[in-house]
Amino acid sequence: MCWSRRSISARSVLALGKVHLPSQRRLIQLYAALLYNAHARGFIQGEIYTGPMKAVCVPGLNCYSCPGAVGACPLGSFQNALATSGKRAPHYVLGILLLFGIILGRTICGFLCPIGLLQELLHKIPVPKIKKSRLTKALSYLKYIILIVFVVLIPLWYGLKDYPLPAFCKYICPAGTLQGAAALLAHPDNAGLFSMLGALFANKVLILVAILVLCMFLYRAFCRFLCPLGAIYGLFARVAIVGVRVDKSACVHCGKCVRNCQMDVRYVGDHECIQCGECMKECPTKAISIKAGKITLHGNEEKPPKKKRAAAWVAALLVLVIVLAAAHIPTEEKIDVAVGSEVGMRAQDFTVQCYDGGVYASGGQLGRVQVINFWATWCGPCVKELPYFDALQKAYPDEVSVVAIHSELVTEDVEAYLAGYDYQIPFALDADGSVIASFDGSMMLPQTVVLDENGVIVYNQIGSLTYEALEEIVLSCLEGEK
Amino acid sequence: MGHPHFTIKSKHAIFYYSLIENNLSRDKIGLQAMRQALAGLCAKAARDIIEAHFLPCRAGRILLVKMLKNCRRTCRDAQQNIPYREREMSSRSRNILRGVMIALAAVLIGLGIANGGLWDVLVKAINICTECIGLG
């Protein structure tokens, strides 16, 4: 591995007053990052966007749990689609990835990925740089292994066991930690999330920090070695419509483009090439250009006329304004958060229809400790902890009343799902979301609420629970009443 | 009949070299010039040029093969100097493949919308993924 020191030259320091404008590519990257995260209100309120635009995947890596995200992450959606492929084939996400790949390929990495932008900005920090070598070239194949194992095999394997597990998102993805966790935890209203921090979060933060630090020394370290989305788009390198092309008649085979490229390319436009077009500046015969089919998008010709540039700017701004406006359209008012969702307050009475035909009325359960679990079939941690609630009910059949209420967002036949299990607890559906809203919940699952014999809330938290923790809460409630 | 000869083109110059039969060992200056020319080319390009000329002199052919091997050994990046994929699929095949893939993508998206895949994506995206953000 070779090191090079890039220090700030005296000339650049003395060139004060000369404005260093960002390149066109940088502007496009910033624009894309802004477009993907146009829900600015989310950062102010500490809530994620829940509008219909989120059904559309953005091309680049952008966590959908970011408060600003207005679209879905293609990688997260792909893993979740594979995890539920036993019930429904992942046609939609496959089609989206295919469309992005065939049209743009890894141009997405070079121009439209916020994580790529972050890495490039970090690489500008003046520290010694690690040059590419045979080792980095070999390491570049690691992302294909991550793609196969964490993005495909693990979600598929667990999906067949009815346990949705987006393994890459859960164990590796730095975008989730940075855009999702950091942005949400930074808001004071989400202070309750701190109680959910554990070993998983610590591991993810370590990975994030390691990647960010590595990016300062190694150009686009995450893209080159770890990003499975780049691996997917790299498969379309030979057929993508938009990309960097070499004019063979003008090329003198000097090899400057490949030598000076900071990615581990073997030739211009291969699966490692992020189609950024930086090699265009290196080519002595101007043989390289960015093309869409036969149309040259960016070559070495003179700048396009002012009218064309102005039209492009206007179109881009118009799209941004439309997305910003759409992301901030007021949504329907949900039921006001009931006074009494806090610990120590009396819970609002509710009645829900159970799947076995019965009715669960919280008011009718006074005199027993009530344990209310909000869950969903598409929520992995929820599914994992259901047996604990069932076991609790079996252990305390007279003292405790447990009910599992499914979120209003139903993606499959819940009854058919439950038929595969032998649970004793009643399962109900929160048809309009009013029940969970009355406990100040909506966006995150699982949520568990424990009411004492008088219907007063003693526990109301988001997050998974072990059987021991659950039993401890219930026992403290029972002992307190004695 | 003239002496066997060949021309080597490098990016900087053209070397015209003439082989005198049975006198090869004496022609050292020409040999050096040819070495320099070959070193400026990748192995494949040099081979293409050499094969384009008919060399009746066996000694000349042996000489060139030896020099080509030397060139490959000394020029580590010779093979990497071609900055594009040499064996590209034809433009027509590529366009057909693109068309098919775009059509397939459209069909898959349509099927996905019809079978509820779109709804699945929406449901997952509008709820905070506690696993994704490391909260378990």
Side-chain angles (χ1 to χ4, degrees):
Chain A
M1 219 175 264
C2 303
W3 292 77
S4 69
R5 185 178 293 278
R6 284 193 197 169
S7 55
I8 301 169
S9 68
R11 191 183 290 178
S12 62
V13 168
L14 289 172
L16 297 171
K18 194 173 181 184
V19 177
H20 177 64
L21 293 171
S23 64
Q24 261 186 350
R25 187 169 79 87
R26 186 71 75 231
L27 286 174
I28 294 173
Q29 285 177 306
L30 285 166
Y31 175 79
L34 193 56
L35 206 63
Y36 295 172
N37 298 286
H39 186 237
R41 191 173 61 190
F43 293 106
I44 300 166
Q45 295 178 341
E47 291 178 350
I48 64 171
Y49 173 67
T50 57
M53 270 200 295
K54 268 215 160 148
V56 179
C57 293
V58 297
L61 192 66
N62 196 76
C63 185
Y64 43 38
S65 292
C66 174
V70 296
C73 173
L75 205 57
S77 302
F78 184 49
Q79 290 170 82
N80 283 301
L82 284 176
T84 55
S85 55
K87 295 157 194 124
R88 198 181 349 263
H91 292 132
Y92 175 69
V93 182
L94 278 176
I96 288 277
L97 285 172
L98 193 58
L99 193 66
F100 286 151
I102 191 65
I103 293 176
L104 294 169
R106 280 200 91 173
T107 312
I108 294 168
C109 300
F111 285 81
L112 302 175
C113 184
I115 303 300
L117 169 65
L118 175 66
Q119 291 174 82
E120 288 185 8
L121 293 175
L122 282 170
H123 196 67
K124 285 186 170 298
I125 296 171
V127 294
K129 306 297 179 192
I130 303 173
K131 286 185 181 176
K132 64 180 182 182
S133 62
R134 288 186 185 183
L135 177 63
T136 60
K137 207 166 273 190
L139 282 174
S140 68
Y141 289 98
L142 178 60
K143 57 181 175 288
Y144 293 97
I145 298 172
I146 289 175
L147 170 66
I148 292 166
V149 175
F150 285 88
V151 177
V152 177
L153 289 178
I154 293 180
L156 211 51
W157 172 256
Y158 280 91
L160 293 172
K161 299 182 178 183
D162 283 341
Y163 178 54
L165 177 59
F168 178 78
C169 294
K170 182 171 182 176
Y171 296 116
I172 300 175
C173 184
T177 319
L178 184 63
Q179 295 178 300
L184 286 171
L185 290 172
H187 196 276
D189 283 357
N190 295 324
L193 295 179
F194 280 95
S195 63
M196 294 171 66
L197 302 184
L200 178 65
F201 183 76
N203 288 339
K204 287 205 80 181
V205 168
L206 274 172
I207 291 171
L208 171 67
V209 169
I211 289 171
L212 294 178
V213 168
L214 198 57
C215 286
M216 291 195 287
F217 298 94
L218 204 55
Y219 183 73
R220 285 200 174 224
F222 176 72
C223 289
R224 285 159 77 182
F225 308 135
L226 299 174
C227 184
L229 194 58
I232 292 172
Y233 291 144
L235 299 173
F236 296 90
R238 292 181 71 180
V239 293
I241 295 171
V242 178
V244 180
R245 307 280 181 259
V246 178
D247 180 0
K248 293 175 188 176
S249 59
C251 177
V252 292
H253 303 179
C254 63
K256 274 189 177 178
C257 47
V258 172
R259 264 200 311 277
N260 291 301
C261 178
Q262 293 178 284
M263 299 295 288
D264 301 289
V265 297
R266 276 197 281 174
Y267 53 86
V268 173
D270 71 359
H271 61 278
E272 291 300 321
C273 176
I274 56 170
Q275 318 285 346
C276 61
E278 297 294 322
C279 48
M280 289 165 54
K281 299 171 203 162
E282 305 293 341
C283 183
T285 59
K286 313 290 180 196
I288 304 174
S289 56
I290 297 177
K291 292 196 170 191
K294 290 190 178 174
I295 303 167
T296 302
L297 293 177
H298 183 44
N300 295 287
E301 68 286 340
E302 285 178 12
K303 276 186 182 174
K306 271 188 181 175
K307 272 188 183 173
K308 247 188 181 177
R309 279 187 282 151
W313 272 102
V314 167
L317 282 169
L318 201 60
V319 168
L320 186 61
V321 164
I322 290 170
V323 171
L324 275 168
H328 292 85
I329 290 171
T331 50
E332 260 182 43
E333 284 292 331
K334 287 217 166 218
I335 291 171
D336 285 338
V337 170
V339 174
S341 61
E342 310 268 332
V343 170
M345 300 175 114
R346 188 182 164 81
Q348 187 177 11
D349 285 343
F350 64 89
T351 305
V352 284
Q353 190 71 39
C354 296
Y355 285 105
D356 60 8
V359 168
Y360 185 94
S362 62
Q365 301 296 327
L366 293 177
R368 297 165 80 187
V369 171
Q370 294 184 64
V371 177
I372 305 153
N373 177 241
F374 296 97
W375 74 291
T377 54
W378 42 260
C379 165
C382 304
V383 164
K384 194 178 174 184
E385 66 171 10
L386 277 178
Y388 305 150
F389 291 94
D390 194 55
L392 185 75
Q393 179 71 92
K394 286 172 183 167
Y396 303 92
D398 300 320
E399 300 94 329
V400 177
S401 172
V402 180
V403 63
I405 303 178
H406 194 284
S407 162
E408 58 173 322
L409 298 168
V410 178
T411 59
E412 61 177 294
D413 188 344
V414 180
E415 282 181 271
Y417 174 87
L418 293 171
Y421 299 90
D422 187 27
Y423 292 129
Q424 305 296 317
I425 57 174
F427 283 84
L429 173 67
D430 185 10
D432 56 1
S434 58
V435 180
I436 195 170
S438 71
F439 290 105
D440 198 18
S442 69
M443 291 184 301
M444 281 188 282
L445 294 175
Q447 182 174 351
T448 303
V449 181
V450 179
L451 311 180
D452 68 9
E453 290 181 344
N454 301 313
V456 174
I457 299 171
V458 297
Y459 180 86
N460 182 359
Q461 291 281 356
I462 292 161
S464 309
L465 284 168
T466 58
Y467 178 79
E468 289 75 24
L470 194 56
E471 192 181 35
E472 196 182 320
I473 297 165
V474 168
L475 284 174
S476 64
C477 211
L478 288 169
E479 281 160 17
E481 282 151 12
K482 283 174 190 168
Chain B
M1 188 175 166
H3 294 295
H5 66 274
F6 46 86
T7 314
I8 300 293
K9 282 184 194 176
S10 78
K11 58 182 177 179
H12 302 298
I14 298 172
F15 294 89
Y16 178 84
Y17 188 67
S18 175
L19 274 174
I20 301 170
E21 247 183 79
N22 300 322
N23 252 353
L24 288 165
S25 58
R26 287 191 224 163
D27 206 344
K28 286 179 186 171
I29 295 170
L31 280 173
Q32 274 182 351
M34 197 177 332
R35 261 194 207 108
Q36 283 166 8
L38 281 171
L41 299 167
C42 76
K44 185 185 177 300
R47 190 170 54 244
D48 284 346
I49 290 166
I50 291 161
E51 284 169 3
H53 296 272
F54 177 67
L55 294 170
C57 169
R58 183 171 171 273
R61 284 199 297 275
I62 291 170
L63 175 69
L64 281 167
V65 166
K66 276 186 187 168
M67 289 173 67
L68 206 56
K69 282 181 184 171
N70 280 337
C71 169
R72 279 196 207 114
R73 269 202 299 272
T74 55
C75 185
R76 283 172 67 193
D77 295 327
Q79 294 293 333
Q80 294 173 5
N81 272 359
I82 299 180
Y84 48 81
R85 193 180 184 88
E86 290 180 80
R87 286 184 200 169
E88 283 274 20
M89 61 175 84
S90 70
S91 170
R92 189 163 175 267
S93 311
R94 193 163 47 234
N95 288 336
I96 291 171
L97 187 60
R98 284 170 178 167
V100 165
M101 289 175 90
I102 289 176
L104 181 62
V107 166
L108 284 172
I109 290 171
L111 280 174
I113 292 171
N115 78 354
L118 183 80
W119 175 247
D120 285 346
V121 168
L122 179 64
V123 163
K124 193 64 191 174
I126 61 175
N127 288 279
I128 293 176
C129 174
T130 54
E131 292 163 307
C132 302
I133 60 178
L135 301 187

